[in-house]
Amino acid sequence: MVNKHRLRGFSAPLCLAFLVVFLAFPSVSMGSSKLTFAFSAASPPYSSSLGERSVGLLPDLVQLAFSFIPDYTTENLVVPWSRAQYNVRLGLTDGLLTYPSKERQDYAIFSAMPLFTQDFGHLVYSAENPNVDVIESATSFSDLSSLTVIGEKGSKWEEDNIPDFLERVPGQHMSAMMHLLMLREAGDFMVQPAEDARFSARQLGYSKKLKVRKVDFIPNSQIPFHIGISRKLPSAMDVINQVDAVMQSPEFQSQLNTLIESYR
């Protein structure tokens, strides 16, 4: 016969142990609908950290999308971008918003439509540049062959999409490139998204003389950003299905366009 007193003595610590495990894994035990998204800590205006908060266009876009999905709430983390991708790969973080490369599709399920398209199809230059007329009338890179482009050192995209016949001046990062363009006048133009150019110009005090021209002759200028959910998350397909459904909403599309334009 089982000793009831001994059983009661065993049950209390056992229950306590189960409670500790239960609380330690709330997302599993409580069926939590909270999703954690990872963003780069140093990619303004797209994402960066402000104290303990993530700020920028990409966190705002994810927040907007899930404001239309009552089944899920989101929490944002800002970390180095390599770690953000690593964590989603292992399922330590639930999602990200990025270009759905073949490698990333191996560990994440992506929305059918992009939430945002980064557009490199802009010429960025100074209103005081003596070659303004050339820049504003160009219909091809050939028309700019007498000018100098300021590029980002080590940029694979620029190597692949800006012709070699253009003279180049390299900059280490966007701020350095903007100074080279506006202050040192080391080159005539840059090829950048409008968001990047206007953000950098505001930060550095060059907004009044900044000019941004949309052109249609820059190859591979459209880089789509889709919501991706870790394949390690059991509800990943449900999340993506709901995101895809929201993307069809005219009200969502209206608010989405307004949000994106506010960064341009």
Side-chain angles (χ1 to χ4, degrees), residues 123-132 134-135 144-150 166-167 169 180-182 185-191 211:
L123 302 181
V124 178
Y125 54 104
S126 169
E128 300 174 0
N129 188 291
N131 296 304
V132 163
V134 176
I135 297 171
L144 301 169
S145 60
S146 63
L147 306 185
T148 299
V149 60
I150 295 174
L166 286 170
E167 184 178 350
V169 172
L180 286 169
L181 180 71
M182 296 293 189
E185 300 179 356
D188 297 289
F189 69 96
M190 299 188 293
V191 177
K211 299 279 282 184

Side-chain angles (χ1 to χ4, degrees), residues 204-249:
L204 301 173
Y206 296 127
S207 291
K208 289 185 178 180
K209 60 180 182 178
L210 177 74
K211 299 279 282 184
V212 179
R213 181 192 170 207
K214 180 75 174 78
V215 295
D216 60 7
F217 57 80
I218 298 172
N220 302 311
S221 61
Q222 306 286 313
I223 301 178
F225 281 59
H226 297 240
I227 284 181
I229 300 297
S230 173
R231 291 183 181 274
K232 298 287 187 181
L233 185 72
S235 60
M237 187 55 70
D238 177 64
V239 176
I240 291 301
N241 287 339
Q242 295 207 45
V243 169
D244 287 342
V246 163
M247 293 288 288
Q248 306 300 319
S249 163

Side-chain angles (χ1 to χ4, degrees), residues 140-211:
S140 68
F141 274 123
S142 296
D143 295 334
L144 301 169
S145 60
S146 63
L147 306 185
T148 299
V149 60
I150 295 174
E152 183 177 1
K153 187 175 182 180
S155 170
K156 179 63 174 165
W157 182 89
E158 291 187 6
E159 291 176 7
D160 292 342
N161 295 286
I162 298 178
D164 291 338
F165 62 73
L166 286 170
E167 184 178 350
R168 299 176 189 241
V169 172
Q172 290 288 351
H173 46 71
M174 187 61 183
S175 294
M177 293 160 62
M178 188 63 74
H179 283 310
L180 286 169
L181 180 71
M182 296 293 189
L183 180 63
R184 295 181 57 186
E185 300 179 356
D188 297 289
F189 69 96
M190 299 188 293
V191 177
Q192 289 290 328
E195 299 91 345
D196 298 65
R198 293 201 169 96
F199 176 83
S200 181
R202 283 196 303 268
Q203 294 291 103
L204 301 173
Y206 296 127
S207 291
K208 289 185 178 180
K209 60 180 182 178
L210 177 74
K211 299 279 282 184

